[in-house]
């Protein structure tokens, strides 16, 4: 059993070399700015979506100085459609902290990185492992699943003490050589994303198959154990799609804090009645097909309502008329972008 940790690590490292992902745009660099940007984008978004955003973001902001100096609106506009916009706001704050407090250089340890805005333990460890080979464990959703299964770890991860325990087990499994850390870290992520899937994992393709506790029990899907299920509340919102009859739409900036803080959006109302009271009486309203948008903690039932208005009849704050040509430059929530395009 004492040889087990290094055996797991070396299998992951070997497997990564032959079966892992190698040609992603953020691989082959040790620039912490690039790695940090990619890891932040990848936190809640799939690789295939991130690729395009990552390249566009880097062309506009090639280094931490240019990002720190940019207006937040420009950052949000480039983030538009990726969702979870607190990531973009934190990215901007973090860039400013790196420039103002660290002379434009990222701290070169996981602990130093974790002290920056928006960088959690797992992201800090991933950056430190990729850039400097630091022996720090990651435990994002995919890796948690791989390790909980390999270890047949049956502690309830809804409990902080069990979660801490899994971090310790993950740390004990790290390769002893720093040079192996980038491939090991990437290999665990790749295994979680391509083989050790939440449902119907491909155990026969897995390099850990003969070591895996969950496999031995023939019950990979029993792990990880987590009793507290994510409960989403529901909220209905009415969105006024006001046009000027010539293709421009009224958009306004969302307040902070709240859903879509800082982004441009159609005016939002809690009820159809509230929407109706905000527009001139006897205005023809067009109810459009509702759509469902799922956030981490909420189901949003969105009810778009169209209306054509005189430009001068709109007197609301923090907004303006924007033509279709201007929409791509604005930070817009993904469902609003889809609505406008549709
Ligand atoms: N998910 C989080 N980090 C990742 C990475 N470096 N490569 C692929 N998927 C990831």
């Amino acid at each position: 059993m004492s040889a087990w940790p290094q055996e797991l690590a070396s299998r992951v490292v070997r497997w990564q070399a032959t079966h892992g992902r190698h040609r992603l745009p953020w691989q082959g660099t040790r620039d912490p700015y690039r790695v940090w940007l990619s890891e932040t984008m990848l936190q809640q978004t799939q690789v295939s979506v991130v690729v395009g955003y990552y390249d566009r973001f880097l062309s506009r902001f090639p280094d931490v100085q240019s990002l720190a100096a940019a207006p937040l609106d420009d950052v949000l506009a480039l983030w538009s459609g990726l969702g979870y916009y607190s990531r973009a706001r934190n990215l901007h704050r973090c860039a400013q902290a790196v420039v103002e407090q660290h002379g434009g250089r990222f701290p070169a340890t996981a602990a130093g990185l974790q002290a920056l805005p928006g960088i959690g333990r797992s992201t800090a460890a991933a950056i430190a492992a990729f850039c400097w080979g630091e022996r720090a464990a990651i435990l994002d959703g995919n890796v948690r699943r791989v390790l909980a299964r390999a270890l047949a770890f049956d502690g309830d991860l809804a409990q902080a003490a069990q979660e801490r325990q899994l971090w310790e087990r993950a740390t004990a499994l790290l390769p002893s050589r720093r040079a192996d850390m980038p491939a090991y870290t990437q290999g665990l992520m790749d295994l979680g994303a391509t083989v050790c899937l939440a449902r119907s994992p491909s155990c026969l393709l897995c390099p850990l198959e003969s070591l895996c506790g969950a496999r031995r029990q023939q019950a990979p899907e029993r792990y990880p154990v987590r009793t507290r299920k994510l409960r989403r509340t529901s909220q209905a919102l009415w969105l006024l799609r006001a046009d000027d009859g010539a293709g421009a739409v009224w958009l306004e900036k969302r307040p902070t804090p709240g859903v879509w803080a800082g982004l441009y959006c159609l005016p939002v109302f809690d009820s159809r009645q509230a929407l109706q009271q905000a527009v001139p009486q006897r205005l023809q309203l067009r109810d459009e097909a509702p759509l469902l948008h799922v956030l981490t903690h909420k189901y949003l039932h969105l009810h778009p309502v169209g209306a054509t208005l005189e430009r001068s009849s709109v007197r609301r704050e923090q907004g303006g008329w924007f033509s279709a040509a201007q929409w791509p430059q604005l930070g817009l929530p993904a469902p609003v972008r889809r609505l406008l395009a549709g």
Side-chain angles (χ1 to χ4, degrees), residues 145-228:
R145 188 170 61 249
V146 174
L147 295 184
R149 285 175 178 172
L151 296 163
F153 183 88
D154 61 4
D156 178 0
L157 293 173
Q159 295 175 13
Q162 296 297 332
E163 163 108 13
R164 261 197 311 279
Q165 180 90 54
L166 187 57
W167 275 106
E168 276 175 29
R169 305 280 308 265
T171 304
L173 292 175
L174 292 172
S176 49
R177 285 164 17 102
R178 291 177 72 108
D180 284 335
M181 279 306 297
Y184 176 74
T185 304
Q186 187 68 51
L188 283 182
M189 291 176 174
D190 294 350
L191 263 182
T194 62
V195 174
C196 193
L197 305 175
R199 307 224 185 292
S200 308
S202 309
C203 297
L204 294 177
L205 301 178
C206 182
L208 305 181
E209 197 249 356
S210 63
L211 294 178
C212 181
R215 171 74 175 160
R216 201 166 312 126
Q217 297 169 3
Q218 300 191 339
E221 294 185 21
R222 194 182 296 158
Y223 301 90
V225 177
R226 192 177 176 89
T227 54
R228 199 177 347 112

Side-chain angles (χ1 to χ4, degrees), residues 54 89 109 114 126 172 211 310:
Y54 175 79
R89 285 186 288 273
T109 61
Q114 209 184 324
L211 294 178
E310 295 278 340

Side-chain angles (χ1 to χ4, degrees), residues 114-135:
Q114 209 184 324
L116 290 166
I119 303 189
R121 179 170 177 180
S122 195
T123 300
I127 301 168
F130 287 138
C131 297
W132 306 294
E134 181 171 334
R135 296 182 63 255

